[in-house]
Amino acid sequence: MRYDILLWDLDGTLTDSKEGITRSVQYALSQLGYPIPKADDLEWVIGPSLKESFKILLETQNDALLNEAVLTYRRRFQEIGLYENEVYSGIPELLLQLREKGCKHFLATSKPRIFAEKILQHFLLAEYFDVIMGSELNGQLVEKEAVIKEVLKQTPEASLSKAVMIGDRKYDVYGARENKIDVIAVGYGYGTAEELQAAKPDFIAPNVESLGQLLLS
């Protein structure tokens, strides 16, 4: 096996979370009196930190307004948006197969950890993961490199040569590079082909099947 320490992104890698995230962003913009983009025009918000996305959407650096936007988003997301979500076909089977081969799974997401835990539990994926790591509601561990660093603290240093980050956006690639581990970009999530090629991951897996072939080889 090429890798046995597997760090997984959540949105766009394990689950298709577009509906819940974009609807919750639309809700927040509506409540604040801002124009509401179509869902397809909001895919870019899936991946980076929510506050950074609202800086662009609201065209502001005003912390009070940004915090209000995030809280409004979370109000809907934690009630409804969490479950407007779908596990990608083949992911549960792949997680099980890899675990049976001796791999350890770690979640490394910029989404708040409390939400990530609920999502994995709801979709019956939590049992596969040794560690579920995400950001904190107080703003800590928002950047992907910080999340990855925190996960790697819980693995033996000797294992890092066989550790890999798996994600769908450039932030996953950059975060892995900062922590000196390999990275696989998946082409079925929310990063465009141009974005992923420019970020230069070690591998690009266009679909779940090819991801499995790569990880099990």
Side-chain angles (χ1 to χ4, degrees), residues 161-191:
S161 64
K162 298 197 73 177
V164 65
M165 179 70 210
I166 306 158
D168 68 312
R169 297 295 309 273
K170 62 185 178 182
Y171 311 100
D172 301 298
V173 180
Y174 299 155
R177 294 285 180 246
E178 284 290 321
N179 286 280
K180 298 180 173 56
I181 63 170
D182 283 1
V183 56
I184 300 170
V186 300
Y188 55 81
Y190 302 109

Side-chain angles (χ1 to χ4, degrees), residues 125-145:
L125 298 179
E127 63 183 285
Y128 299 116
F129 286 84
D130 290 81
V131 172
I132 298 172
M133 186 64 64
S135 61
E136 299 297 338
L137 294 176
N138 63 8
Q140 292 182 321
L141 296 179
V142 169
E143 301 302 328
K144 184 53 69 85
E145 55 263 33

Side-chain angles (χ1 to χ4, degrees), residues 51-71:
K51 192 169 183 179
E52 291 302 313
S53 295
F54 275 122
K55 285 180 183 179
I56 297 170
L57 288 166
L58 304 180
E59 298 181 347
T60 186
Q61 297 287 327
N62 184 295
D63 256 354
L65 179 56
L66 292 169
N67 289 336
E68 184 181 359
V70 170
L71 289 173

